[in-house]
């Protein structure tokens, strides 16, 4: 019997899957073969451009084909192998960066740099006109100090995106557990606010009360939920609402055009709200809250990078052996 495993259904939404090729639509053998507890995936759009929110997201779990925001995209693994010894980044690029910065640059350093610079709304807003042409580009600083600062900040971003499972470091305040906000700021289920389980059916409504910073889920509620958490989105996909929409009683979607009707498998779901749903929701809100708190630092760092010297494209092309045309 093949046991179910966690996978990343959408950005910040972790669900369960049976890893059996007979049940998965078009499984990607390369993703599964290279997976391990050290693997990390960057996901982004490919044929269209992000409109808002972070331009890239990360996960430590196998990502769905539509992971970024539900409508296409691509996953970029950090490692080519399950032993996490062969980076999925050209060694010539890491070597060229090492020459510029005067010290070795690891694949993890570069991935963390991307997280700091690109995984926040200010990047998407700043380069909106440039992003009209699909395909993400990133400014690479020529300043060793700025690169190191970005790599350090990006490790925290990835730790948050992966729910504490990647880039954990106790000395840096990143334990390998679901991240939490400060005690006085974190969301919580107050007395009397518990989301009912059996024999109550699954709830079918989620509403936000901005006057109380309260998130209503059916007959229950969560307090200390800021408007920014509720409105957090990934290129138009409101994360908290869509997380709930996959766990509510009525999960049907309007059928548009002459499309294949929904599978009967969609109707297989719990008959009541699970305790783990509440735990997952609290984890999600804490992650979003901490990411929101980091966004001003990311925006300020991006401005510093853009006003300082950047590595020229021709320099990278030469290092990678790519023609100038």
């Amino acid at each position: 019997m093949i046991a179910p495993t966690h996978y990343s259904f959408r950005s910040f939404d972790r669900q369960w899957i049976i890893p059996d090729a007979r049940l998965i639509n078009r499984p990607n053998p390369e993703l599964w073969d290279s997976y391990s507890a050290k693997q990390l995936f960057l996901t982004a759009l490919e044929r269209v451009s992000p409109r808002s929110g972070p331009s890239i997201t990360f996960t430590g779990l196998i990502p769905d084909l539509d992971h970024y925001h539900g409508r296409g995209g691509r996953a970029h693994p950090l490692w080519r192998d399950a032993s996490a010894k062969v980076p999925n980044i050209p060694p010539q690029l890491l070597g060229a960066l090492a020459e510029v910065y005067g010290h070795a640059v690891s694949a993890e350093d570069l991935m963390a740099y991307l997280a700091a610079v690109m995984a926040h709304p200010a990047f998407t807003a700043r380069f909106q006109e440039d992003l009209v042409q699909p395909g993400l580009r990133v400014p690479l600083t020529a300043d060793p100090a700025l690169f190191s600062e970005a790599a350090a900040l990006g490790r925290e971003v990835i730790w948050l995106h992966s729910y504490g499972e990647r880039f954990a470091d106790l000395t840096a305040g990143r334990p390998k557990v679901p991240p939490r906000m400060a005690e006085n700021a974190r969301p919580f289920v107050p007395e009397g606010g518990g989301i009912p389980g059996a024999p109550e059916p699954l709830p079918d409504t989620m509403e936000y009360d901005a006057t109380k910073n309260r998130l209503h889920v059916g007959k229950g509620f969560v307090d200390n939920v800021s408007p920014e958490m509720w409105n957090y989105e990934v290129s138009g996909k409101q994360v908290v609402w869509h997380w709930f929409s996959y766990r509510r009683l009525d999960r049907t979607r309007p059928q548009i055009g002459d499309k294949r009707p929904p599978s009967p498998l969609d109707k297989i779901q719990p008959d009541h709200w699970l305790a783990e749903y509440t735990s997952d929701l609290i984890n999600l809100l804490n992650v979003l809250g901490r990411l929101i708190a980091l966004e001003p630092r990311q925006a300020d760092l991006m401005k510093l990078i853009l006003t300082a010297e950047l590595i020229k494209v021709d320099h990278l092309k030469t290092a990678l052996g790519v023609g100038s045309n």
Side-chain angles (χ1 to χ4, degrees):
M1 180 178 178
I2 299 177
T5 184
H6 260 127
Y7 85 116
S8 276
F9 177 60
R10 296 289 180 266
S11 292
F12 307 106
D13 187 351
R14 298 138 63 87
Q15 299 194 23
W16 291 92
I17 193 172
I18 299 174
D20 189 326
R22 294 170 297 179
L23 301 175
I24 303 174
N25 183 22
R26 292 183 296 168
N28 187 322
E30 291 184 2
L31 292 186
W32 287 95
D33 291 345
S34 66
Y35 183 70
S36 73
K38 295 182 179 180
Q39 185 62 281
L40 176 71
F41 298 95
L42 178 158
T43 65
L45 294 175
E46 184 177 29
R47 297 182 180 177
V48 295
S49 300
R51 305 197 314 266
S52 57
S55 66
I56 57 177
T57 60
F58 297 85
T59 178
L61 302 175
I62 292 286
D64 185 88
L65 175 66
D66 299 315
H67 175 266
Y68 174 74
H69 75 154
R71 295 186 293 277
R74 188 172 181 181
H76 302 269
L78 175 59
W79 303 104
R80 288 182 175 272
D81 61 329
S83 61
K85 293 181 179 179
V86 182
N88 190 34
I89 296 172
Q92 303 96 316
L93 175 58
L94 297 177
L97 295 178
E99 289 183 4
V100 172
Y101 303 137
H103 59 76
V105 175
S106 68
E108 297 99 320
D109 291 335
L110 184 54
M111 192 71 99
Y113 177 90
L114 298 179
V117 177
M118 302 174 72
H120 60 101
F123 177 90
T124 309
R126 167 65 175 78
F127 292 103
Q128 196 69 74
E129 292 184 4
D130 301 275
L131 293 174
V132 169
Q133 178 184 348
L136 296 176
R137 283 80 67 191
V138 59
L140 276 173
T141 183
D143 186 320
L146 285 177
F147 181 85
S148 296
E149 183 179 349
L153 179 57
R155 287 174 183 270
E156 183 172 0
V157 173
I158 290 173
W159 175 72
L160 290 168
H161 278 232
S162 65
Y163 287 85
E165 294 177 359
R166 298 294 184 269
F167 288 8
D169 183 349
L170 273 176
T171 61
R174 301 193 302 269
K176 198 167 187 175
V177 296
R180 286 290 181 267
M181 300 174 67
E183 188 171 356
N184 64 340
R186 69 182 58 159
F188 67 97
V189 177
E191 184 177 353
I195 305 168
E200 289 277 346
L202 283 167
D204 214 20
T205 59
M206 173 180 272
E207 298 174 344
Y208 181 66
D209 184 346
T211 63
K212 297 181 178 180
N213 281 2
R214 174 172 287 179
L215 181 65
H216 292 269
V217 183
K219 297 179 180 179
F221 51 89
V222 183
D223 281 344
N224 258 11
V225 178
S226 69
E228 291 80 11
M229 292 181 204
W230 168 243
N231 291 314
Y232 192 96
E233 63 177 54
V234 176
S235 195
K237 190 178 187 72
Q238 190 177 352
V239 170
V240 175
W241 163 251
H242 279 88
W243 178 93
F244 172 71
S245 74
Y246 298 117
R247 293 161 176 82
R248 62 187 296 191
L249 179 62
D250 182 5
R251 298 186 299 172
T252 59
R253 299 286 193 276
Q255 189 170 335
I256 302 174
D258 186 22
K259 291 188 176 181
R260 184 173 59 186
S263 167
L265 294 175
D266 286 343
K267 297 181 179 179
I268 300 176
Q269 61 182 2
D271 61 4
H272 63 277
W273 185 262
L274 305 178
E276 72 177 64
Y277 286 177
T278 300
S279 298
D280 289 348
L281 177 57
I282 293 296
N283 289 342
L284 169 63
L285 293 169
N286 273 278
V287 163
L288 297 183
R290 289 193 58 158
L291 283 172
I292 291 162
L294 285 183
E295 289 174 357
R297 288 177 57 193
Q298 290 177 271
D300 289 344
L301 181 58
M302 181 185 70
K303 290 178 183 177
L304 289 174
I305 288 172
L306 293 175
T307 55
E309 183 182 358
L310 298 174
I311 299 176
K312 302 296 188 291
V313 172
D314 288 343
H315 180 84
L316 295 178
K317 286 182 175 180
T318 300
L320 293 171
V322 178
S324 57
N325 295 326

